Amino acid sequence: TLTDTFTIVEPAEITVSLPESYNILLGESVRLIPVYDSINNLTFIWKPNSYLTNPNVPKPTAAPYQTIAYTLT
């Protein structure tokens, strides 16, 4: 019989912050710039992906045609 022991280390907690809201006029755009811990190899997913230049980058540009709330995961 063989036995191995494994130690699993949880990654450090990631802190992300954004302004509570942005106000823009119809036809304008805004770059969403989150402030986050400098940890490598993070994956960014903005939802919904409507009106974003790229929902999988840390700092997309948004040009919505209506009021919208984005969530970053």
Side-chain angles (χ1 to χ4, degrees):
T1 301
L2 296 172
T3 304
D4 277 338
T5 303
F6 297 92
T7 302
I8 299 173
V9 179
E10 288 190 36
E13 182 177 2
I14 300 169
T15 304
V16 179
S17 63
L18 282 166
E20 187 173 318
S21 65
Y22 292 95
N23 293 311
I24 62 173
L25 298 174
L26 184 62
E28 293 183 337
S29 63
V30 63
R31 189 156 188 211
L32 305 177
I33 303 177
V35 176
Y36 53 92
D37 297 341
S38 58
I39 299 175
N40 294 327
N41 300 323
L42 294 178
T43 300
F44 295 85
I45 302 172
W46 291 88
K47 293 185 181 180
N49 62 4
S50 304
Y51 313 113
L52 294 176
T53 52
N54 184 338
N56 301 313
V57 297
K59 301 173 184 175
T61 298
Y65 291 99
Q66 59 191 19
T67 300
I68 192 166
Y70 291 108
T71 302
L72 175 60
T73 57

